Amino acid sequence: MDDFENLKRVWQQQTIRPADFTSAELKKTNDGHQRKLERTQLMSAIALLLTPVGIIWIGFFSGITFQSSLTYGAVILIALIPAVQGIINLSTYNWLRRIDITAPIAEHLSQWQRYYAFRKRMIRFNGPIYFLLLNGAFALYFIEILGYFSWLGRVVVLIPYVAWMLYAYFVLGKRNLQKETERLEAIIGNLQTLQRQLDAPES
Amino acid sequence: MALLTDFDTLHQTYYPKVLKLCLGYTGDYAQAQDLAQETFVKVWQNLAKFKGESLVSTWLYRIAVNTCLNHLRTARHRPTDALQTHHSEQIAEETGELDQQINLLYKCISQLAETDRLIISLVLEDTPYTEIAQIAGISDGNLRVKIHRIKQQLTDIYHRYGRL
């Protein structure tokens, strides 16, 4: 291994310039891929958990009275569904927070693999279920509300709503779902490659 | 205040080593600088959690290595010619001959598998094997065999360039 010792000598003779950033500057930085992911989950969780507050106020404290208990039920559902989604996003945020950058490589890679496998399951099932439940709740809400409208009014309210929802689900949603699935599969593939490199039994 | 001093000391002591590790991994000076910077941001963020259960160097290298590997999540890096230019720019006092050898060494390292690049960079830095095993989270025995193979691979690649 004399050859390798020569390479080591070359490596150790390098002169590396000091960092062109100070430690004080570093402490102000709060960035990085993981932090961005965490922030996204936290912000969406906060928004989703605050949404029900407004909906409950409109439904029960704003002075608007509904004739049907079904409509009140719909209001509760419209408030409850985002709240549940907010809790799910909050648990995703906590999951991310638990990923330990100081863990041994093998363990750290496993943590990311588990997280991305979970994300893949989530976008496959969570998105569509959320969409269907929320629209189901709105359908119940519309039963009474649209009764106050003329036929023309109903058409004006319902057609854009249904058109937008169908477009959002079948065009935008499907496209994003496919893109996100491909991205996650690529990431999982990369992580598995690294894990295999590390775990490979050497002969 | 002691913590601040510790961080400053860590930053000064380990920055060159971490930058070389990142250079060995990316083969690109600008990317290596970004990764080294990101590493020390994470060191700062996690310093309060350091319990002294391992050597501080082990702990810090784990952060550096994991930061490098996380970089792969968005892109797979391949050796680039940019290394020749960027790396030359930061060499302060080497002779032209040594400069060429260093560039070539990085070029050879960048042809290894990702985790192998990181392991061999730690070996070149004279990091003890037991510490590398703790950084990687693999057994001593497996690591020794792995290092033997990587050394062989690296010298073979270097030979192909007719330099040894």
Side-chain angles (χ1 to χ4, degrees):
Chain A
M1 280 293 167
D2 281 349
D3 285 350
F4 185 77
E5 290 306 312
N6 288 333
L7 294 182
K8 194 193 278 189
R9 251 195 308 278
V10 169
W11 175 275
Q12 292 181 350
Q13 281 177 58
Q14 291 176 86
T15 312
I16 296 284
R17 275 206 216 132
D20 55 3
F21 50 88
T22 64
S23 55
E25 283 168 351
L26 278 178
K27 291 163 193 171
K28 289 180 199 156
T29 312
N30 189 19
D31 220 348
H33 181 68
Q34 190 175 338
R35 288 283 162 136
K36 281 177 193 162
L37 287 176
E38 286 172 13
R39 244 196 324 269
T40 306
Q41 290 299 330
L42 185 63
M43 290 301 142
S44 66
I46 290 168
L48 286 161
L49 289 167
L50 286 175
T51 303
V53 177
I55 292 166
I56 292 294
W57 183 83
I58 290 166
F60 294 91
F61 303 104
S62 66
I64 299 170
T65 50
F66 301 112
Q67 302 306 308
S68 164
S69 54
L70 186 70
T71 311
Y72 283 106
V75 169
I76 291 168
L77 281 176
I78 291 168
L80 199 63
I81 292 160
V84 171
Q85 187 60 47
I87 291 164
I88 291 170
N89 287 18
L90 208 56
S91 69
T92 307
Y93 165 76
N94 281 325
W95 188 316
L96 276 165
R97 295 273 296 169
R98 284 198 304 270
I99 292 177
D100 184 9
I101 190 76
T102 69
I105 308 173
E107 192 184 319
H108 184 70
L109 289 174
S110 295
Q111 288 173 346
W112 275 115
Q113 277 187 74
R114 284 196 296 274
Y115 169 76
Y116 280 112
F118 163 75
R119 287 296 297 157
K120 203 174 144 186
R121 281 198 305 275
M122 286 292 285
I123 63 158
R124 246 211 114 67
F125 300 109
N126 178 246
I129 289 168
Y130 177 76
F131 181 88
L132 289 171
L133 287 176
L134 197 62
N135 280 289
F138 268 107
L140 295 176
Y141 179 75
F142 281 145
I143 291 170
E144 179 181 337
I145 300 302
L146 290 178
Y148 301 120
F149 285 75
S150 65
W151 276 106
L152 184 64
R154 288 175 201 173
V155 168
V156 167
V157 171
L158 217 50
I159 287 191
Y161 174 83
V162 172
W164 169 247
M165 283 301 167
L166 290 175
Y167 176 74
Y169 186 73
F170 288 104
V171 181
L172 288 181
K174 291 281 180 200
R175 197 187 299 155
N176 284 342
L177 191 74
Q178 193 182 347
K179 238 176 19 192
E180 186 65 4
T181 304
E182 282 168 7
R183 193 182 73 88
L184 290 174
E185 277 171 358
I187 289 168
I188 291 166
N190 274 341
L191 288 166
Q192 284 171 340
T193 303
L194 293 173
Q195 194 83 55
R196 271 197 302 273
Q197 284 175 14
L198 208 59
D199 295 343
E202 304 283 341
S203 50
Chain B
M1 223 44 200
L3 198 65
L4 188 86
T5 314
D6 280 351
F7 178 73
D8 288 346
T9 309
L10 284 176
H11 185 219
Q12 280 177 344
T13 309
Y14 287 99
Y15 177 78
K17 295 169 191 281
V18 169
L19 183 65
K20 282 198 273 181
L21 182 84
C22 298
L23 256 173
Y25 178 73
T26 63
D28 179 275
Y29 190 68
Q31 272 181 356
Q33 272 187 310
D34 288 347
L35 287 174
Q37 183 164 347
E38 197 178 328
T39 296
F40 281 98
V41 168
K42 285 169 182 167
V43 166
W44 169 243
Q45 287 167 347
N46 287 277
L47 199 54
K49 294 182 214 161
F50 178 63
K51 298 283 183 285
E53 288 159 359
S54 62
L55 292 170
V56 74
S57 56
T58 307
W59 179 82
L60 193 141
Y61 277 137
R62 276 181 188 168
I63 295 176
V65 168
N66 285 329
T67 301
C68 285
L69 291 176
N70 288 345
H71 196 53
L72 250 193
R73 288 209 302 271
T74 46
R76 184 167 283 282
H77 300 287
R78 287 278 149 251
T80 61
D81 294 335
L83 170 66
Q84 299 283 353
T85 320
H86 290 298
H87 188 235
S88 301
E89 283 169 8
Q90 63 85 47
I91 300 291
E93 294 152 21
E94 289 87 348
T95 61
E97 173 63 21
L98 181 61
D99 188 357
Q100 280 179 355
Q101 285 184 320
I102 291 167
N103 279 327
L104 181 57
L105 176 56
Y106 275 114
K107 197 172 176 180
C108 295
I109 291 170
S110 67
Q111 289 176 38
L112 298 167
E114 288 84 359
T115 55
D116 292 356
R117 284 181 226 165
L118 292 162
I119 289 169
I120 206 66
S121 297
L122 291 166
V123 174
L124 287 163
E125 206 52 53
D126 267 338
T127 313
Y129 284 12
T130 48
E131 193 176 348
I132 300 175
Q134 284 176 359
I135 292 164
I138 57 177
S139 71
D140 270 21
N142 192 11
L143 181 84
R144 280 175 192 283
V145 182
K146 206 181 270 289
I147 287 173
H148 181 78
R149 176 189 48 81
I150 304 169
K151 279 181 177 178
Q152 196 63 60
Q153 259 183 309
L154 184 62
T155 48
D156 286 350
I157 295 167
Y158 207 83
H159 271 296
R160 278 210 296 275
Y161 287 100
R163 298 295 305 208
L164 283 173

mmCIF file of all heavy atoms in Angstrom, chain B residues 113-140:
data_model
loop_
_atom_site.group_PDB
_atom_site.id
_atom_site.type_symbol
_atom_site.label_atom_id
_atom_site.label_comp_id
_atom_site.label_asym_id
_atom_site.label_seq_id
_atom_site.Cartn_x
_atom_site.Cartn_y
_atom_site.Cartn_z
ATOM 1 N N ALA B 113 -17.769 5.186 -5.568
ATOM 2 C CA ALA B 113 -19.172 5.271 -5.115
ATOM 3 C C ALA B 113 -19.272 6.322 -4.008
ATOM 4 O O ALA B 113 -18.281 6.600 -3.322
ATOM 5 C CB ALA B 113 -19.624 3.921 -4.586
ATOM 6 N N GLU B 114 -20.471 6.881 -3.842
ATOM 7 C CA GLU B 114 -20.653 8.026 -2.939
ATOM 8 C C GLU B 114 -20.142 7.760 -1.512
ATOM 9 O O GLU B 114 -19.374 8.550 -0.972
ATOM 10 C CB GLU B 114 -22.131 8.448 -2.874
ATOM 11 C CG GLU B 114 -22.646 9.123 -4.118
ATOM 12 C CD GLU B 114 -23.105 8.156 -5.190
ATOM 13 O OE1 GLU B 114 -23.008 6.927 -4.964
ATOM 14 O OE2 GLU B 114 -23.574 8.618 -6.248
ATOM 15 N N THR B 115 -20.583 6.665 -0.919
ATOM 16 C CA THR B 115 -20.178 6.425 0.472
ATOM 17 C C THR B 115 -18.679 6.099 0.543
ATOM 18 O O THR B 115 -18.019 6.437 1.524
ATOM 19 C CB THR B 115 -20.990 5.273 1.112
ATOM 20 O OG1 THR B 115 -20.869 4.118 0.301
ATOM 21 C CG2 THR B 115 -22.458 5.637 1.247
ATOM 22 N N ASP B 116 -18.161 5.484 -0.509
ATOM 23 C CA ASP B 116 -16.725 5.170 -0.548
ATOM 24 C C ASP B 116 -15.891 6.446 -0.565
ATOM 25 O O ASP B 116 -14.816 6.509 0.042
ATOM 26 C CB ASP B 116 -16.387 4.321 -1.788
ATOM 27 C CG ASP B 116 -16.983 2.922 -1.710
ATOM 28 O OD1 ASP B 116 -17.579 2.599 -0.658
ATOM 29 O OD2 ASP B 116 -16.857 2.155 -2.686
ATOM 30 N N ARG B 117 -16.389 7.472 -1.270
ATOM 31 C CA ARG B 117 -15.675 8.753 -1.341
ATOM 32 C C ARG B 117 -15.510 9.345 0.051
ATOM 33 O O ARG B 117 -14.457 9.870 0.401
ATOM 34 C CB ARG B 117 -16.481 9.762 -2.164
ATOM 35 C CG ARG B 117 -16.425 9.550 -3.645
ATOM 36 C CD ARG B 117 -17.246 10.631 -4.313
ATOM 37 N NE ARG B 117 -18.107 10.044 -5.320
ATOM 38 C CZ ARG B 117 -19.133 10.667 -5.863
ATOM 39 N NH1 ARG B 117 -19.444 11.883 -5.486
ATOM 40 N NH2 ARG B 117 -19.861 10.077 -6.784
ATOM 41 N N LEU B 118 -16.596 9.265 0.815
ATOM 42 C CA LEU B 118 -16.570 9.857 2.153
ATOM 43 C C LEU B 118 -15.656 9.059 3.077
ATOM 44 O O LEU B 118 -14.889 9.629 3.848
ATOM 45 C CB LEU B 118 -17.995 9.921 2.714
ATOM 46 C CG LEU B 118 -18.909 10.913 1.972
ATOM 47 C CD1 LEU B 118 -20.366 10.630 2.270
ATOM 48 C CD2 LEU B 118 -18.564 12.356 2.348
ATOM 49 N N ILE B 119 -15.749 7.736 2.980
ATOM 50 C CA ILE B 119 -14.922 6.881 3.837
ATOM 51 C C ILE B 119 -13.445 7.109 3.535
ATOM 52 O O ILE B 119 -12.634 7.295 4.441
ATOM 53 C CB ILE B 119 -15.319 5.387 3.675
ATOM 54 C CG1 ILE B 119 -16.692 5.144 4.331
ATOM 55 C CG2 ILE B 119 -14.263 4.463 4.277
ATOM 56 C CD1 ILE B 119 -17.319 3.794 4.007
ATOM 57 N N ILE B 120 -13.088 7.149 2.241
ATOM 58 C CA ILE B 120 -11.670 7.281 1.895
ATOM 59 C C ILE B 120 -11.151 8.671 2.253
ATOM 60 O O ILE B 120 -9.984 8.824 2.632
ATOM 61 C CB ILE B 120 -11.390 6.929 0.407
ATOM 62 C CG1 ILE B 120 -9.938 6.456 0.232
ATOM 63 C CG2 ILE B 120 -11.683 8.093 -0.526
ATOM 64 C CD1 ILE B 120 -9.598 5.173 0.906
ATOM 65 N N SER B 121 -12.012 9.678 2.176
ATOM 66 C CA SER B 121 -11.591 11.033 2.579
ATOM 67 C C SER B 121 -11.219 11.044 4.063
ATOM 68 O O SER B 121 -10.262 11.698 4.460
ATOM 69 C CB SER B 121 -12.703 12.049 2.315
ATOM 70 O OG SER B 121 -12.979 12.121 0.942
ATOM 71 N N LEU B 122 -12.003 10.313 4.860
ATOM 72 C CA LEU B 122 -11.705 10.223 6.295
ATOM 73 C C LEU B 122 -10.410 9.456 6.530
ATOM 74 O O LEU B 122 -9.620 9.797 7.413
ATOM 75 C CB LEU B 122 -12.870 9.546 7.038
ATOM 76 C CG LEU B 122 -14.168 10.362 7.126
ATOM 77 C CD1 LEU B 122 -15.341 9.488 7.564
ATOM 78 C CD2 LEU B 122 -14.010 11.546 8.080
ATOM 79 N N VAL B 123 -10.177 8.410 5.728
ATOM 80 C CA VAL B 123 -8.932 7.625 5.847
ATOM 81 C C VAL B 123 -7.738 8.506 5.491
ATOM 82 O O VAL B 123 -6.723 8.508 6.196
ATOM 83 C CB VAL B 123 -8.977 6.369 4.936
ATOM 84 C CG1 VAL B 123 -7.635 5.641 4.941
ATOM 85 C CG2 VAL B 123 -10.077 5.420 5.378
ATOM 86 N N LEU B 124 -7.848 9.252 4.402
ATOM 87 C CA LEU B 124 -6.759 10.137 3.965
ATOM 88 C C LEU B 124 -6.457 11.199 5.014
ATOM 89 O O LEU B 124 -5.347 11.685 5.123
ATOM 90 C CB LEU B 124 -7.138 10.806 2.635
ATOM 91 C CG LEU B 124 -7.118 9.903 1.403
ATOM 92 C CD1 LEU B 124 -7.887 10.544 0.250
ATOM 93 C CD2 LEU B 124 -5.695 9.579 0.958
ATOM 94 N N GLU B 125 -7.490 11.525 5.798
ATOM 95 C CA GLU B 125 -7.349 12.532 6.853
ATOM 96 C C GLU B 125 -6.760 11.918 8.122
ATOM 97 O O GLU B 125 -6.618 12.597 9.132
ATOM 98 C CB GLU B 125 -8.746 13.124 7.137
ATOM 99 C CG GLU B 125 -8.772 14.524 7.690
ATOM 100 C CD GLU B 125 -7.971 15.544 6.889
ATOM 101 O OE1 GLU B 125 -8.195 15.660 5.661
ATOM 102 O OE2 GLU B 125 -7.119 16.198 7.506
ATOM 103 N N ASP B 126 -6.422 10.593 8.048
ATOM 104 C CA ASP B 126 -5.854 9.857 9.188
ATOM 105 C C ASP B 126 -6.830 9.680 10.348
ATOM 106 O O ASP B 126 -6.417 9.586 11.508
ATOM 107 C CB ASP B 126 -4.574 10.556 9.713
ATOM 108 C CG ASP B 126 -3.334 9.956 9.054
ATOM 109 O OD1 ASP B 126 -3.423 8.806 8.563
ATOM 110 O OD2 ASP B 126 -2.293 10.635 9.023
ATOM 111 N N THR B 127 -8.102 9.618 10.036
ATOM 112 C CA THR B 127 -9.111 9.365 11.071
ATOM 113 C C THR B 127 -9.005 7.887 11.472
ATOM 114 O O THR B 127 -8.955 7.020 10.594
ATOM 115 C CB THR B 127 -10.535 9.637 10.520
ATOM 116 O OG1 THR B 127 -10.517 10.900 9.845
ATOM 117 C CG2 THR B 127 -11.579 9.653 11.616
ATOM 118 N N PRO B 128 -8.947 7.588 12.779
ATOM 119 C CA PRO B 128 -8.842 6.176 13.192
ATOM 120 C C PRO B 128 -10.014 5.339 12.668
ATOM 121 O O PRO B 128 -11.141 5.845 12.590
ATOM 122 C CB PRO B 128 -8.882 6.256 14.724
ATOM 123 C CG PRO B 128 -8.529 7.661 15.055
ATOM 124 C CD PRO B 128 -8.977 8.508 13.911
ATOM 125 N N TYR B 129 -9.718 4.076 12.345
ATOM 126 C CA TYR B 129 -10.751 3.197 11.773
ATOM 127 C C TYR B 129 -11.954 3.034 12.699
ATOM 128 O O TYR B 129 -13.094 2.990 12.259
ATOM 129 C CB TYR B 129 -10.161 1.817 11.451
ATOM 130 C CG TYR B 129 -9.299 1.786 10.210
ATOM 131 C CD1 TYR B 129 -8.870 2.961 9.594
ATOM 132 C CD2 TYR B 129 -8.899 0.580 9.639
ATOM 133 C CE1 TYR B 129 -8.080 2.940 8.458
ATOM 134 C CE2 TYR B 129 -8.100 0.541 8.498
ATOM 135 C CZ TYR B 129 -7.692 1.724 7.914
ATOM 136 O OH TYR B 129 -6.917 1.706 6.795
ATOM 137 N N THR B 130 -11.677 2.914 14.004
ATOM 138 C CA THR B 130 -12.791 2.732 14.945
ATOM 139 C C THR B 130 -13.724 3.945 14.905
ATOM 140 O O THR B 130 -14.938 3.811 15.015
ATOM 141 C CB THR B 130 -12.289 2.551 16.396
ATOM 142 O OG1 THR B 130 -11.330 3.581 16.654
ATOM 143 C CG2 THR B 130 -11.657 1.199 16.618
ATOM 144 N N GLU B 131 -13.124 5.101 14.718
ATOM 145 C CA GLU B 131 -13.937 6.319 14.644
ATOM 146 C C GLU B 131 -14.750 6.351 13.346
ATOM 147 O O GLU B 131 -15.930 6.715 13.356
ATOM 148 C CB GLU B 131 -13.047 7.564 14.748
ATOM 149 C CG GLU B 131 -13.841 8.819 14.987
ATOM 150 C CD GLU B 131 -13.000 10.080 15.195
ATOM 151 O OE1 GLU B 131 -11.773 9.977 15.388
ATOM 152 O OE2 GLU B 131 -13.587 11.161 15.142
ATOM 153 N N ILE B 132 -14.130 5.932 12.256
ATOM 154 C CA ILE B 132 -14.861 5.899 10.973
ATOM 155 C C ILE B 132 -16.024 4.916 11.076
ATOM 156 O O ILE B 132 -17.130 5.184 10.582
ATOM 157 C CB ILE B 132 -13.936 5.532 9.781
ATOM 158 C CG1 ILE B 132 -12.800 6.552 9.641
ATOM 159 C CG2 ILE B 132 -14.727 5.458 8.468
ATOM 160 C CD1 ILE B 132 -11.763 6.218 8.580
ATOM 161 N N ALA B 133 -15.790 3.784 11.735
ATOM 162 C CA ALA B 133 -16.859 2.790 11.913
ATOM 163 C C ALA B 133 -18.014 3.386 12.708
ATOM 164 O O ALA B 133 -19.187 3.145 12.407
ATOM 165 C CB ALA B 133 -16.315 1.554 12.619
ATOM 166 N N GLN B 134 -17.676 4.206 13.719
ATOM 167 C CA GLN B 134 -18.718 4.865 14.522
ATOM 168 C C GLN B 134 -19.449 5.937 13.709
ATOM 169 O O GLN B 134 -20.642 6.149 13.890
ATOM 170 C CB GLN B 134 -18.105 5.508 15.766
ATOM 171 C CG GLN B 134 -17.757 4.497 16.838
ATOM 172 C CD GLN B 134 -17.057 5.143 18.018
ATOM 173 O OE1 GLN B 134 -16.809 6.343 18.030
ATOM 174 N NE2 GLN B 134 -16.726 4.337 19.015
ATOM 175 N N ILE B 135 -18.723 6.600 12.827
ATOM 176 C CA ILE B 135 -19.348 7.625 11.982
ATOM 177 C C ILE B 135 -20.335 6.950 11.020
ATOM 178 O O ILE B 135 -21.456 7.404 10.832
ATOM 179 C CB ILE B 135 -18.266 8.425 11.190
ATOM 180 C CG1 ILE B 135 -17.434 9.275 12.144
ATOM 181 C CG2 ILE B 135 -18.902 9.294 10.102
ATOM 182 C CD1 ILE B 135 -16.130 9.786 11.549
ATOM 183 N N ALA B 136 -19.884 5.848 10.429
ATOM 184 C CA ALA B 136 -20.706 5.162 9.415
ATOM 185 C C ALA B 136 -21.803 4.305 10.032
ATOM 186 O O ALA B 136 -22.846 4.096 9.415
ATOM 187 C CB ALA B 136 -19.820 4.304 8.528
ATOM 188 N N GLY B 137 -21.560 3.800 11.221
ATOM 189 C CA GLY B 137 -22.533 2.912 11.845
ATOM 190 C C GLY B 137 -22.431 1.497 11.304
ATOM 191 O O GLY B 137 -23.429 0.787 11.189
ATOM 192 N N ILE B 138 -21.210 1.088 10.937
ATOM 193 C CA ILE B 138 -20.987 -0.301 10.487
ATOM 194 C C ILE B 138 -19.890 -0.932 11.347
ATOM 195 O O ILE B 138 -19.168 -0.226 12.052
ATOM 196 C CB ILE B 138 -20.619 -0.381 8.973
ATOM 197 C CG1 ILE B 138 -19.384 0.465 8.653
ATOM 198 C CG2 ILE B 138 -21.784 0.017 8.106
ATOM 199 C CD1 ILE B 138 -18.924 0.388 7.199
ATOM 200 N N SER B 139 -19.787 -2.250 11.256
ATOM 201 C CA SER B 139 -18.837 -2.944 12.128
ATOM 202 C C SER B 139 -17.397 -2.653 11.710
ATOM 203 O O SER B 139 -17.131 -2.358 10.542
ATOM 204 C CB SER B 139 -19.094 -4.447 12.079
ATOM 205 O OG SER B 139 -18.693 -4.950 10.815
ATOM 206 N N ASP B 140 -16.500 -2.752 12.690
ATOM 207 C CA ASP B 140 -15.063 -2.547 12.434
ATOM 208 C C ASP B 140 -14.558 -3.466 11.344
ATOM 209 O O ASP B 140 -13.826 -3.046 10.439
ATOM 210 C CB ASP B 140 -14.271 -2.830 13.723
ATOM 211 C CG ASP B 140 -14.110 -1.566 14.556
ATOM 212 O OD1 ASP B 140 -14.914 -0.639 14.349
ATOM 213 O OD2 ASP B 140 -13.194 -1.519 15.397
#
